[in-house]
Amino acid sequence: MGTHNVATALRRHAAERPDAPAIEFPSKSYRTDAPHWDVWTYAELDRQSDAYAYGFVAHGVRPGDRTLMLVKPSLDFYAVLFGLFKVGAVPVLLDPGMGIPNLLKCIERNQPRVVIAMSLVHAVRTFVRKPFASAEVLVTAGSRWFWGGTTLTKCHQPSEQPFELVMREATDDAAILFTSGSTGTAKGVASKQAMFASQVDTLQKMFDFQPGQRDMQAFAAFAIFDICLGMTSVIPSMNLSKPATAKPEDIVAAITHGKVDVAFGSPIVWQNASRYCLDKGITLPELRTLLTVGAPIPAYLHRRFRQILPEGAQVFTPYGATEAMPISWVGTDEILGGCWDRTAAGHGTCVGPIAPGATADIIAVTDDPIPTWSTDLVLPPHTVGEVVVAGDMVSPEYKNAPEANATAKIVDGDRVRHRMGDLGYLDENGRLWFCGRKAHRLQTASGMVPAVPVEGVFNEHPDVFRTALVGLGPSGREVPVLCVEMEPGKAWSSEVEAALVALAADTEHAGLVKRFLHHPGFPTDARHNSKIRREDLKQWAAGAAADLAKEAA
């Protein structure tokens, strides 16, 4: 018998601090002008998830069963999730933002035996059968119509006796989490039992998280970490799958009414919330640690929050990916203490020292598979290459994706290293610097050009919200073109373009950009609304450049 189960932490906190709040979720009566949350304590979450665990077993759910969960976030969502953990089943968590065609492809590839989903999903399943061919246990969250199976309500079977956790091996799957698909097809990442435990432990060490702390959590899946850490997860009133649509006033309400000292959200959430706070003269005196992932954030966002947060508070940007998280972290003090000067000079974005238990190396850039690891692959400091990571927080595999495993995984004895697909370098202090996605590198006549170091120069213009470097033309002869998105209320002009050219004059990227193109609003990923969909932008730039050429002719 194994020794691991994600729900062990919930059971422990429920025993030690039964009345401590675990999850606070916006109530149905929530209004922006009268915010209100429903609360479940650790004891209540433990009881409710026990009830689901008993019901799932009664309806045929077994340890190791891949279980597709397509249920709207709610208090009940977390009870269902921890009920599955208790049974030893493997939740398959998909991001609805990836769109129905991609959802169906991901479902088919991962062959779930159990489907717990909203009525709409089951309606689709009755007409689009192939992706669900492996499903044997069907559970409807909501009204069940003409299809078979049971309902989530019938799976809720309370008992006086605590459910006995099904213990699993360290190498067994705990969950299957999907990548955002921002640079290709979304892939199912096997989150192993030991991997999940390592992530919780590493996050605790990095940020000194303690039971009883309160976290405003704007990313539904990350509330699992809050619960395992013994913290209170305060969910803001927002569409958790579309962070760009979150109202700043609702984010601020969750922070202030929730009396949180930690807050987690996508960069776009903090862009909008910080503008709102400065416009309204709002400060957040209790918030000590603000976390954001999904994309690097600019220095001005750190500077904004120095006006909003109390002295000593920091904005942290942990670096990692669904496959490997966390790998490094960096905060306001380090960024504004000298790192950003290097970013503005075109040397990339510092993502900080390597996390406890993780390792990071830089290897030469190649798209070819690397079956086995060798120290001969490692490049010296300050040499840009591909980032390769290892550690217990790193997933060893994608599920049912042999080609992706071949290109992203490197066998190193009894462990597997992961190729992040990111370009970067290590400095003389062992800090990792991010230089962009490998797939987004330009291949010009003068050689490879990483995108992020170049963009760092131009992002310094005060009227520019963000930029994206794309290459037009064939690989090996790509012409660098900079797409520019302006700050709200700021206009693009020839004067802005001239100022951008001047910003690069004293850097190694002087004269690199051959054309500047104004874009009204970059396309971004669905999960964080922060990662730029550069392939779409590249197509747009090609069309815009062609139109300008025709006008000039």
Side-chain angles (χ1 to χ4, degrees):
M1 180 180 289
T3 58
H4 288 70
N5 189 303
V6 174
T8 301
L10 168 61
R11 181 63 54 81
R12 184 179 73 254
H13 294 306
E16 294 174 353
R17 301 165 55 248
D19 297 328
I23 296 278
E24 300 187 3
F25 204 88
S27 68
K28 291 183 179 179
S29 62
Y30 182 99
R31 299 199 319 266
T32 297
D33 62 341
H36 185 262
W37 282 262
D38 295 327
V39 181
W40 272 3
T41 63
Y42 272 92
E44 183 69 11
L45 180 57
D46 193 38
R47 282 194 297 269
Q48 296 290 347
S49 54
D50 273 357
Y52 279 118
Y54 276 115
F56 292 148
V57 170
H59 284 87
V61 179
R62 306 175 307 211
D65 277 351
R66 292 182 196 166
T67 304
L68 175 66
M69 267 191 74
L70 283 173
V71 180
K72 289 183 178 179
S74 63
L75 287 175
D76 217 40
F77 170 90
Y78 295 101
V80 171
L81 189 59
F82 275 89
L84 291 171
F85 287 143
K86 289 178 174 181
V87 171
V90 183
V92 178
L93 301 178
L94 289 159
D95 188 341
M98 68 173 65
I100 290 177
N102 285 330
L103 274 173
L104 294 175
K105 287 179 187 175
C106 292
I107 293 168
E108 184 174 352
R109 190 181 306 126
N110 280 269
Q111 302 176 328
R113 179 175 178 268
V114 182
V115 174
I116 303 175
M118 298 173 289
S119 303
L120 176 61
V121 176
H122 285 287
V124 171
R125 178 182 58 77
T126 61
F127 297 104
V128 187
R129 296 179 180 274
K130 189 179 177 184
F132 300 91
S134 59
E136 298 177 15
V137 180
L138 306 171
V139 182
T140 303
S143 300
R144 181 168 60 89
W145 300 337
F146 49 84
W147 50 81
T150 187
T151 64
L152 196 54
T153 300
K154 290 181 179 178
C155 287
H156 189 266
Q157 299 183 5
S159 170
E160 292 295 321
Q161 296 298 316
F163 183 86
E164 184 176 351
L165 305 187
V166 177
M167 305 311 289
R168 307 287 285 159
E169 299 295 337
T171 54
D172 287 336
D173 294 336
I176 296 175
L177 311 173
F178 274 78
T179 62
S180 65
S182 57
T183 55
T185 304
K187 298 177 287 291
V189 175
S191 177
K192 304 294 184 180
Q193 292 283 347
M195 173 185 167
F196 192 89
S198 173
Q199 290 175 317
V200 172
D201 182 60
T202 303
L203 286 168
Q204 194 281 324
K205 289 176 179 175
M206 287 165 61
F207 301 107
D208 193 28
F209 289 143
Q210 298 296 327
Q213 284 189 275
R214 298 172 61 81
D215 179 23
M216 189 220 74
Q217 185 53 259
F219 189 38
F222 274 50
I224 303 170
F225 292 118
D226 288 343
I227 293 165
C228 290
L229 287 161
M231 300 166 70
T232 300
S233 202
V234 180
I235 310 297
S237 177
M238 62 178 287
N239 182 338
L240 290 162
S241 65
K242 294 182 179 179
T245 64
K247 295 179 181 178
E249 53 267 41
D250 288 331
I251 297 298
V252 170
I255 293 171
T256 55
H257 286 256
K259 294 182 169 54
V260 303
D261 50 357
V262 181
F264 178 96
S266 298
I268 193 67
V269 168
W270 300 127
Q271 288 278 6
N272 295 336
S274 61
R275 283 197 200 103
Y276 174 79
C277 286
L278 292 180
D279 288 346
K280 301 292 184 180
I282 294 171
T283 59
L284 304 172
E286 295 187 54
L287 183 56
R288 308 293 307 180
T289 302
L290 190 152
L291 301 170
T292 185
V293 298
I297 63 171
Y300 67 73
L301 198 51
H302 286 279
R303 296 188 188 108
R304 279 184 195 169
F305 274 106
R306 278 204 163 164
Q307 301 176 63
I308 298 167
L309 303 182
E311 186 176 353
Q314 292 199 65
V315 179
F316 288 99
T317 53
Y319 167 76
T322 309
E323 302 93 327
M325 188 283 296
I327 296 301
S328 71
W329 82 111
V330 68
T332 299
D333 289 351
E334 197 162 4
I335 289 293
L336 298 184
C339 288
W340 201 259
D341 292 339
R342 288 183 54 79
T343 297
H347 298 290
T349 301
C350 183
V351 292
I354 306 306
T359 63
D361 292 286
I362 309 298
I363 66 172
V365 179
T366 176
D367 294 319
D368 297 333
I370 303 174
T372 55
W373 178 256
S374 167
T375 54
D376 295 339
L377 295 168
V378 178
L379 298 176
H382 290 286
T383 306
V384 175
E386 183 177 4
V387 181
V388 178
V389 300
D392 289 343
M393 70 289 290
V394 176
S395 172
E397 63 171 338
Y398 297 111
K399 283 296 181 184
N400 300 338
E403 289 185 7
N405 284 324
T407 56
K409 306 298 180 181
I410 307 175
V411 176
D412 180 13
D414 60 356
R415 67 174 177 173
V416 175
R417 293 177 182 257
H418 177 68
R419 300 168 70 178
M420 292 291 285
D422 289 337
L423 301 178
Y425 63 90
L426 292 165
D427 67 16
E428 66 280 1
N429 297 313
R431 296 179 303 186
L432 182 61
W433 291 71
F434 175 71
C435 295
R437 295 290 289 167
K438 183 172 71 170
H440 299 151
R441 71 192 189 276
L442 279 63
Q443 297 289 2
T444 72
S446 302
M448 181 187 77
V449 177
V452 165
V454 179
E455 294 161 2
V457 174
F458 299 107
N459 288 340
E460 285 298 284
H461 192 291
D463 293 347
V464 168
F465 176 42
R466 56 187 167 186
T467 63
L469 188 74
V470 299
L472 301 186
S475 179
R477 297 198 306 275
E478 285 186 298
V479 176
V481 173
L482 191 77
C483 302
V484 182
E485 181 180 348
M486 303 298 290
E487 281 281 353
K490 301 297 183 180
W492 174 254
S493 66
S494 57
E495 288 78 14
V496 172
E497 180 171 337
L500 291 175
V501 171
L503 277 174
D506 295 327
T507 74
E508 63 186 76
H509 307 303
L512 175 75
V513 174
K514 304 306 178 188
R515 174 161 284 175
F516 295 83
L517 296 173
H518 172 239
H519 192 284
F522 289 174
T524 58
D525 69 297
R527 178 173 298 177
H528 296 293
N529 288 137
S530 298
K531 295 178 181 176
I532 301 165
R533 296 207 313 268
R534 291 167 188 264
E535 287 306 312
D536 294 349
L537 201 57
K538 186 174 181 176
Q539 290 183 359
W540 171 86
D547 290 342
L548 288 172
K550 286 179 184 177
E551 290 176 13

